[in-house]
Amino acid sequence: MPLKYALIHEWLTPKATGGSELVVQEILNHINADLYALIDFESSNPKSYLYQRQIGTTFLQNLPYARNGIQKYLPLLPLAIEQLDLRQYDVILSSSHAVAKGVITTPEQLHICYCHSPMRYAWDLTFDYLQQSQLGNGVAGWITRYLLHRLRQWDVLSANRVDYFIANSEHTARRIWRCYRRKSTVIYPPVNVEAMPFLAQKEDFYLIVSRLVSYKQVSLIVRAFNQLQKPLVVIGTGPQMKYLRKMANSHIQILGWQPDDVVKKYMARAKAFVYAACEDFGIALVEAQACGTPVIAYGAGGALETVQDIRSYIDTGTGIFFKAQIEAALIEAVEKFEMYQNAFNPEYLRSHASQFSRQVFSDRYLNFLDKCSKTRPYLE
């Protein structure tokens, strides 16, 4: 009898279109799995590949304003994910950056978690969350801190429900070990390298494509380019949009949201792609390289695994790192880049990006799944 698979993801909405959603899509391309999520607004979206698909959800689906930001119900997420009844399945596959790994399983089931990140609200971004939600002070602040404390406890406890962890980078694997004391296997997420247009000849502007939220550090890039007085194009939307437009000088264009074909054209034409966030992986960095476009990136997190600094790899460099999230460091990196820009080989950048292709991901993921299906961790 063929095995029955369930795939669990946190939320499926038109606004959630990042790397974790690409992993879900690629898994579904190869595995006939029933799909579950805390909320689903994609199966009713005619533009989505999930249109009219049967997707299991939780009680959060019917709560007010869930579509526009389920994070406001953060204390309820663990309770909601535990209400999914998955007893009919042989293999549970979770795609988790918050609570998906916390589904309840039986001893007979195999649970493999592709972990994009331990829950950021509870760990790395605790103090950012307190500051941005304006819940860091007074009685509300103490209540919020207590809830986050309990959330961390649940997060560690629920890690024990996973048989095998997959991490999307070595950086994430270290964070999984730090938070859960669990080993993981690194399988980089799929990047649609083949769909990215390649151009060897570049135009005279720099580019950033990102959600406009504080931890992405787009404001740092805008401030640095205000001083550099060099042309910069910013693509993306988010709560910092008005703030960035007010801050930016006339040589900086804040284009807001743009369709994929427009984003790809800008990526292919840009002199360099600039990124200042510490990402667990950073798909946009690989997409830029697939276009033959060098990267100027903050030298931390997943960028260290996808970008090769030309100062260390003179013949095979794909970008330049800056060591601190401050304007002076980024300005220095841009000036260094312009000294080296003729040394970059666009064809090599494209070749380098191919090691993170969808085909590489699917081969490694399916091989790992096959290996795990033949064993059980308590028998090892």
Side-chain angles (χ1 to χ4, degrees):
M1 293 291 292
L3 297 175
K4 293 187 67 176
Y5 292 88
L7 174 58
I8 298 87
H9 190 54
E10 268 87 18
W11 45 83
L12 299 165
T13 73
K15 292 185 177 180
T17 56
S20 60
E21 285 72 35
L22 293 176
V23 167
V24 169
Q25 183 174 2
E26 193 62 29
I27 291 173
L28 291 175
N29 285 339
H30 299 279
I31 297 173
N32 182 21
D34 291 338
L35 185 58
Y36 291 84
L38 293 170
I39 59 171
D40 158 47
F41 294 97
E42 281 290 85
S43 61
S44 58
N45 176 15
K47 297 181 180 180
S48 172
Y49 75 99
L50 295 173
Y51 182 53
Q52 295 186 331
R53 186 179 183 118
Q54 209 52 38
I55 300 175
T57 59
T58 71
F59 65 85
L60 296 177
Q61 179 77 19
N62 301 314
L63 294 186
Y65 312 113
R67 181 190 185 110
N68 294 321
I70 197 175
Q71 294 89 337
K72 62 176 65 70
Y73 296 113
L74 188 61
L76 296 178
L77 302 192
L79 174 64
I81 204 71
E82 290 180 345
Q83 304 313 304
L84 293 175
D85 184 355
L86 306 175
R87 289 175 295 175
Q88 62 177 302
Y89 299 100
D90 301 300
V91 181
I92 310 300
L93 306 174
S94 57
S95 166
S96 183
H97 55 75
V99 298
K101 68 172 179 31
V103 292
I104 295 176
T105 58
T106 71
E108 290 74 29
Q109 293 173 309
L110 175 66
H111 182 182
I112 300 173
C113 172
Y114 190 100
C115 184
H116 308 276
S117 168
M119 193 187 312
R120 285 190 172 274
Y121 312 107
W123 301 99
D124 302 65
L125 296 182
T126 289
F127 299 105
D128 294 275
Y129 179 77
L130 288 169
Q131 182 177 5
Q132 293 169 27
S133 63
Q134 299 179 338
L135 295 174
N137 300 315
V139 175
W142 284 110
I143 293 174
T144 304
R145 284 175 167 82
Y146 175 73
L147 290 174
L148 290 172
H149 167 69
R150 294 302 301 269
L151 201 57
R152 281 188 287 274
Q153 291 179 323
W154 179 89
D155 195 38
V156 174
L157 174 67
S158 63
N160 291 320
R161 301 172 188 173
V162 176
D163 295 315
Y164 296 98
F165 272 103
I166 301 172
N168 67 350
S169 67
E170 297 288 352
H171 174 69
T172 299
R174 290 190 292 272
R175 295 178 61 230
I176 290 171
W177 176 256
R178 184 192 65 195
C179 296
Y180 308 144
R181 286 299 186 261
R182 294 289 305 275
K183 293 182 179 180
S184 54
T185 298
V186 174
I187 300 177
Y188 293 118
V191 181
N192 196 357
V193 173
E194 297 78 9
M196 303 308 296
F198 174 80
L199 280 179
Q201 298 300 318
K202 304 300 179 181
E203 298 180 19
D204 187 24
F205 70 90
Y206 294 85
L207 175 69
I208 168 65
V209 179
S210 171
R211 285 184 292 120
L212 305 183
V213 294
S214 60
Y215 89 91
K216 294 289 188 178
Q217 299 286 341
V218 180
S219 60
L220 163 65
I221 298 174
V222 172
R223 289 194 302 271
F225 274 80
N226 277 343
Q227 295 183 51
L228 285 162
Q229 296 186 343
K230 295 182 182 296
L232 172 72
V233 174
V234 180
I235 296 178
T237 188
Q240 288 200 320
M241 172 82 79
K242 292 181 180 179
Y243 169 64
L244 293 171
R245 281 183 166 158
K246 185 177 180 180
M247 175 198 306
N249 291 341
S250 59
H251 58 277
I252 298 176
Q253 300 180 63
I254 313 289
L255 300 184
W257 178 89
Q258 297 294 320
D260 284 348
D261 59 333
V262 173
V263 173
K264 291 174 182 176
K265 288 177 182 177
Y266 273 98
M267 272 197 174
R269 291 160 43 207
K271 178 189 294 187
F273 187 86
V274 187
Y275 212 74
C278 178
E279 291 285 9
D280 298 303
F281 178 73
I283 282 180
L285 302 179
V286 178
E287 290 176 333
Q289 293 172 80
C291 295
T293 301
V295 171
I296 302 171
Y298 174 46
L304 295 174
E305 301 170 51
T306 61
V307 180
Q308 296 179 171
D309 193 309
I310 196 166
R311 290 168 292 187
S312 301
Y313 301 88
I314 192 62
D315 295 322
T316 58
T318 65
I320 280 182
F321 291 127
F322 56 98
K323 294 183 179 181
Q325 289 173 309
I326 56 175
E327 295 157 47
L330 175 53
I331 289 170
E332 181 184 1
V334 173
E335 292 171 344
K336 286 287 186 183
F337 167 79
E338 298 206 337
M339 293 172 56
Y340 282 95
Q341 62 180 314
N342 293 327
F344 289 100
N345 182 340
E347 286 80 10
Y348 177 78
L349 268 74
R350 176 80 169 193
S351 174
H352 176 74
S354 66
Q355 65 183 298
F356 306 103
S357 70
R358 294 165 60 189
Q359 186 62 53
V360 172
F361 167 83
S362 59
D363 287 346
R364 292 178 178 174
Y365 185 86
L366 293 174
N367 287 338
F368 184 80
L369 179 57
D370 182 62
K371 176 183 175 182
C372 294
S373 298
K374 295 174 181 177
T375 63
R376 287 291 188 274
Y378 49 82
L379 297 178
E380 293 179 353

